[in-house]
Amino acid sequence: MSVPTENEAELEHVRGYLPMWVGPPTEYARLQISKSGRLLAYLDFDKRSFISLGRSPDKVTYCLDHPSISRIHALVVHHPRLHSYFLIDCGSAHGTFVGGKRIEPKVPVRISDGVGSSEHITFGGSTRVYVLQC
């Protein structure tokens, strides 16, 4: 996994997927990663308006290493007015799942109201489970 850096190259790659309402959070948030019930890591938001996830380290905030994950797979974005987080699948070939259900590409799905933890999130065929914690 790479360390988050806000750069123009990343923004250029995800620009078409970002809603107009995206803005920075005022509270702390992170994605918890686990596999088979074992905690593997955390991906911090670091007050960013969004994080991008995918296989291409030069195009995303955090690189996820699995063959079924697309180069730019998904975004987790913050809605400042609603104080909520949304997940957006970027048209991935193998899908993004919330609570075991595949979400529609390019449609923001609310995963958290900014308090507590989200449902389980998975990407493609990976068995790693992601949970947004606020």
Side-chain angles (χ1 to χ4, degrees), residues 69-121:
I69 292 175
S70 298
R71 282 176 252 154
I72 302 173
H73 196 98
L75 304 174
V76 180
V77 300
H78 180 258
H79 192 302
R81 189 174 55 79
L82 298 177
H83 304 289
S84 296
Y85 289 87
F86 291 77
L87 180 64
I88 302 170
D89 179 279
C90 297
S92 66
H94 298 284
T96 299
F97 302 84
V98 176
K101 296 178 182 173
R102 188 173 185 157
I103 65 171
E104 189 175 334
K106 302 177 185 175
V107 176
V109 173
R110 183 182 269 185
I111 56 172
S112 173
D113 60 3
V115 179
S117 298
S118 71
E119 291 187 69
H120 291 174
I121 301 165

Side-chain angles (χ1 to χ4, degrees), residues 1-5 7 10 14 31 33 40-44 48 51-75 123 126 128 130:
M1 286 173 277
S2 61
V3 175
T5 57
N7 63 54
E10 177 189 7
V14 300
L31 277 175
I33 308 169
L40 299 177
Y42 292 101
L43 306 179
D44 291 321
R48 295 170 57 98
I51 58 171
S52 55
L53 305 163
R55 234 184 36 241
S56 186
D58 59 327
K59 296 180 181 177
V60 297
T61 312
Y62 290 109
C63 185
L64 308 179
D65 190 26
H66 191 275
S68 69
I69 292 175
S70 298
R71 282 176 252 154
I72 302 173
H73 196 98
L75 304 174
F123 302 102
S126 174
R128 291 183 181 193
Y130 298 76

Side-chain angles (χ1 to χ4, degrees), residues 25-29 45 47 78 83-85 114 134:
T26 55
E27 67 282 340
Y28 177 78
F45 258 80
K47 302 287 185 180
H78 180 258
H83 304 289
S84 296
Y85 289 87
C134 300

Side-chain angles (χ1 to χ4, degrees), residues 3-48:
V3 175
T5 57
E6 194 141 15
N7 63 54
E8 286 300 315
E10 177 189 7
L11 186 57
E12 188 60 36
H13 293 294
V14 300
R15 191 177 311 278
Y17 302 106
L18 285 175
M20 297 286 291
W21 44 257
V22 169
T26 55
E27 67 282 340
Y28 177 78
R30 67 184 180 181
L31 277 175
Q32 174 187 291
I33 308 169
S34 60
K35 183 173 182 174
S36 301
R38 188 175 57 106
L39 178 64
L40 299 177
Y42 292 101
L43 306 179
D44 291 321
F45 258 80
D46 294 326
K47 302 287 185 180
R48 295 170 57 98

